[in-house]
Amino acid sequence: MPASRSPTAASTSSLFNSSTSFGAKQLISILTIASLVAVLIPSPLIFVSAVSTTPNNNNYNNNNNNNKMHTPETRTLATLVESVNCRNDDDIPLSFDMQLKPRELANIDCQSWIELSIPGDGATVEVPFVTPNQFPNNGPPSVLMTINGRYAGDSGVQMDTGSTGITIGKGTWLEWFNGNWSEAVKYERGWKFLSSSKKLYSGHWVPTTLVFHGKSENGTRTDLLKAVVPVLVFDTYYICPKFTNDQGSVCTAPTDQKTGNITGLYMGVGFGREQDGMIMCTPDKNPLLNVYEVNGQNVAGQNNTNKYHLGYIVRSDSLVWGLTSANINGFRWMSLQKQPNATDYRDWAMATLQVSINNGKFRSGSILADTGVTQMYLSSPDVPIPIPPSYKINLKIPDVQGSLGGYVVTAKRVGKNKTAESSIPETAPAYVGATNTAGIVSGPGGGVYERVFVNTGSRFWNGFEAAFDAAGGHWGVLEKTTS
């Protein structure tokens, strides 16, 4: 999650800161048969239809049921293949839960991942980061953007995978982005809560047109992507350590509060953030999931010939929008679960991983590869108490074999000085902030659980690339090669 930036005031940055056993051969046979059946019988995993929308702000009103955004997407076909690599012994027993769907393998005692095949090459575009030397080591990446008809400036807009939706302070909206507050208040009152920093932003979701830019060789700005989404224009900001979703847009016990013409700006493009207290941060708020124009070509409408596969890749120097057979080459994928009570086909839960601390047992949890912070956040009932001067965190994505990727982080502390090391060069976070969740813990959603969660921090992208298949519900990882 991010630090924030205002186009006009750098001083505002402080604001956003039951199973049956099978042999592997048997399982592969079952999957092969299932694949043949899928060719003959339409599967919910194959997408060919779409919902279209017209990017006109006049279409929105204050009726909460009518101002929900829809993706203007025409999807390409996708083929899924389960891959199993059991080293040299393909009769290693596999535990397969018959109550799960065929693609949802459980407790596999060998490497397992998903190969995602996208026939043909649809629309795609690479959006360069403005400050590639800042990200991943020293802060979030930024992209050039025009918001509500006004260019945000050459320093760009910070891009955060740890949240969803654009967040703009009322002062910045009025003074920089041609905003009208009397119009803004006609739209739905909303909020966004950042669980790591305990910040709560309260305002209105205002539908807005956005343009992502590149620059030509002569320095002229070019239009790469256009989208329309509600942005959260906030007039109240809280530090809310005991926030739960039933508080809504008002913090009941803030330790700090600001109101009025507050400045600030950042863009969230993450998925699954409703799990972490951002219940209003649904896919209709994500600019990258609501694109209607790519490189000057309209891609909206069910019968539009300009097809694309909805998703994006985050690299250390750029964002790639639109997945193709070429740009996903080398990625390994895991299936994502739908968000509880999801009504949007793009609404996927966070990716999963296994975590072991100090060579203890591995526990299943959620992973957030966050561009917005350089530190790592760790939650587990195995976090040692008191925190020792040094301890190891073994991360395996998504299973104990680390089929997509994995590394070991050593958290260190000398006095008040906290640092970290990593088994993969340059992926060590600035430091590790750890929370022991043994016993009953109340989460931001008001739930009770022993949370297992890892926010990798931005330096994850020194060792990996990460991709989100929003159409099919997959998260992919590509480990970079080092020479």
Side-chain angles (χ1 to χ4, degrees), residues 72-76 118-126 224-225 288 291-300 304-312 320-327:
E73 173 215 6
T74 302
R75 287 163 280 176
T76 62
I118 302 176
D121 290 324
T124 185
V125 67
E126 184 172 11
L224 301 179
L225 300 172
L288 299 181
V291 170
Y292 68 86
E293 186 176 295
V294 181
N295 284 329
Q297 298 294 314
N298 188 286
V299 294
N304 197 304
T305 58
N306 298 315
K307 298 182 184 298
Y308 62 89
H309 190 95
L310 189 62
Y312 46 91
V320 179
W321 182 93
L323 304 183
T324 69
S325 58
N327 63 32

Side-chain angles (χ1 to χ4, degrees), residues 106-118:
N107 304 319
I108 295 181
D109 192 23
C110 60
Q111 292 183 356
S112 62
W113 63 90
I114 289 175
E115 293 175 347
L116 182 64
S117 174
I118 302 176

Side-chain angles (χ1 to χ4, degrees), residues 236-313:
T236 306
Y237 155 82
Y238 305 93
I239 297 295
C240 194
K242 297 182 179 181
F243 176 80
T244 55
N245 285 322
D246 56 1
Q247 296 178 47
S249 61
V250 179
C251 179
T252 57
T255 59
D256 190 20
Q257 178 178 348
K258 292 180 176 65
T259 60
N261 289 347
I262 309 169
T263 58
L265 167 65
Y266 76 93
M267 174 179 62
V269 298
F271 66 93
R273 307 311 296 129
E274 301 105 299
Q275 289 175 260
D276 208 20
M278 303 183 202
I279 62 172
M280 302 193 81
C281 294
T282 44
D284 61 299
K285 311 298 196 312
N286 190 333
L288 299 181
L289 301 188
N290 295 276
V291 170
Y292 68 86
E293 186 176 295
V294 181
N295 284 329
Q297 298 294 314
N298 188 286
V299 294
Q302 184 170 358
N303 299 317
N304 197 304
T305 58
N306 298 315
K307 298 182 184 298
Y308 62 89
H309 190 95
L310 189 62
Y312 46 91
I313 302 168

Side-chain angles (χ1 to χ4, degrees), residues 11 26 32 35 45 57 69 114 151 200 230 244-245 283 318 354 429:
S11 62
Q26 294 171 291
T32 302
S35 298
L45 301 178
N57 288 356
M69 312 291 285
I114 289 175
Y151 182 51
L200 175 66
T244 55
N245 285 322
S318 65
Q354 298 277 330

Side-chain angles (χ1 to χ4, degrees), residues 405-417:
Y407 55 112
V408 178
V409 171
T410 303
K412 295 188 172 184
R413 175 179 54 82
V414 178
K416 294 183 179 181
N417 183 32

Side-chain angles (χ1 to χ4, degrees), residues 12-300:
T12 62
S13 61
S14 61
L15 280 181
F16 294 113
N17 231 5
S18 139
S19 62
T20 303
S21 294
F22 292 85
K25 290 180 180 177
Q26 294 171 291
L27 178 58
I28 293 171
S29 297
I30 292 172
L31 293 171
T32 302
I33 294 172
S35 298
L36 291 174
V37 172
V39 172
L40 299 176
I41 301 174
S43 166
L45 301 178
I46 305 298
F47 298 93
V48 293
S49 63
V51 179
S52 64
T53 187
T54 303
N56 187 334
N57 288 356
N58 294 328
N59 291 343
Y60 301 94
N61 55 45
N62 197 37
N63 187 320
N64 292 343
N65 294 322
N66 294 333
N67 64 6
K68 302 302 181 183
M69 312 291 285
H70 299 282
T71 178
E73 173 215 6
T74 302
R75 287 163 280 176
T76 62
L77 297 178
T79 302
L80 304 178
V81 180
E82 293 285 358
S83 297
V84 179
N85 178 2
C86 298
R87 297 173 290 279
N88 296 322
D89 182 0
D90 58 311
D91 284 324
I92 292 177
L94 304 179
S95 179
F96 186 48
D97 191 334
M98 298 300 290
Q99 295 181 348
L100 298 177
K101 297 177 181 179
R103 71 189 184 106
E104 296 172 340
L105 303 181
N107 304 319
I108 295 181
D109 192 23
C110 60
Q111 292 183 356
S112 62
W113 63 90
I114 289 175
E115 293 175 347
L116 182 64
S117 174
I118 302 176
D121 290 324
T124 185
V125 67
E126 184 172 11
V127 182
F129 293 149
V130 177
T131 53
N133 294 328
Q134 172 178 309
F135 176 79
N137 290 328
N138 300 311
S142 297
V143 296
L144 299 179
M145 294 187 71
T146 290
I147 300 174
N148 203 36
R150 178 76 183 270
Y151 182 51
D154 288 341
S155 59
V157 176
Q158 291 183 356
M159 190 193 83
D160 175 38
T161 56
S163 61
T164 304
I166 290 185
T167 305
I168 305 177
K170 177 183 175 182
T172 303
W173 179 249
L174 298 179
E175 298 167 14
W176 193 264
F177 292 118
N178 306 315
N180 184 314
W181 188 246
S182 63
E183 289 297 317
V185 296
K186 296 178 182 179
Y187 294 97
E188 179 184 16
R189 187 81 191 183
W191 70 91
K192 181 187 295 186
F193 176 70
L194 308 185
S195 62
S196 58
S197 57
K198 309 303 181 185
K199 296 175 181 177
L200 175 66
Y201 301 98
S202 175
H204 296 270
W205 292 104
V206 183
T208 305
T209 298
L210 316 169
V211 184
F212 291 78
H213 300 294
K215 277 194 175 181
S216 62
E217 292 183 359
N218 64 9
T220 303
R221 287 200 310 273
T222 57
D223 295 350
L224 301 179
L225 300 172
K226 292 184 180 180
V228 59
V229 291
V231 303
L232 182 64
V233 180
F234 69 94
D235 61 338
T236 306
Y237 155 82
Y238 305 93
I239 297 295
C240 194
K242 297 182 179 181
F243 176 80
T244 55
N245 285 322
D246 56 1
Q247 296 178 47
S249 61
V250 179
C251 179
T252 57
T255 59
D256 190 20
Q257 178 178 348
K258 292 180 176 65
T259 60
N261 289 347
I262 309 169
T263 58
L265 167 65
Y266 76 93
M267 174 179 62
V269 298
F271 66 93
R273 307 311 296 129
E274 301 105 299
Q275 289 175 260
D276 208 20
M278 303 183 202
I279 62 172
M280 302 193 81
C281 294
T282 44
D284 61 299
K285 311 298 196 312
N286 190 333
L288 299 181
L289 301 188
N290 295 276
V291 170
Y292 68 86
E293 186 176 295
V294 181
N295 284 329
Q297 298 294 314
N298 188 286
V299 294

Side-chain angles (χ1 to χ4, degrees), residues 402-437:
S403 302
L404 274 64
Y407 55 112
V408 178
V409 171
T410 303
K412 295 188 172 184
R413 175 179 54 82
V414 178
K416 294 183 179 181
N417 183 32
K418 295 191 292 185
T419 60
E421 297 176 353
S422 175
S423 60
I424 296 182
E426 300 184 63
T427 61
Y431 65 90
V432 178
T435 302
N436 184 291
T437 58

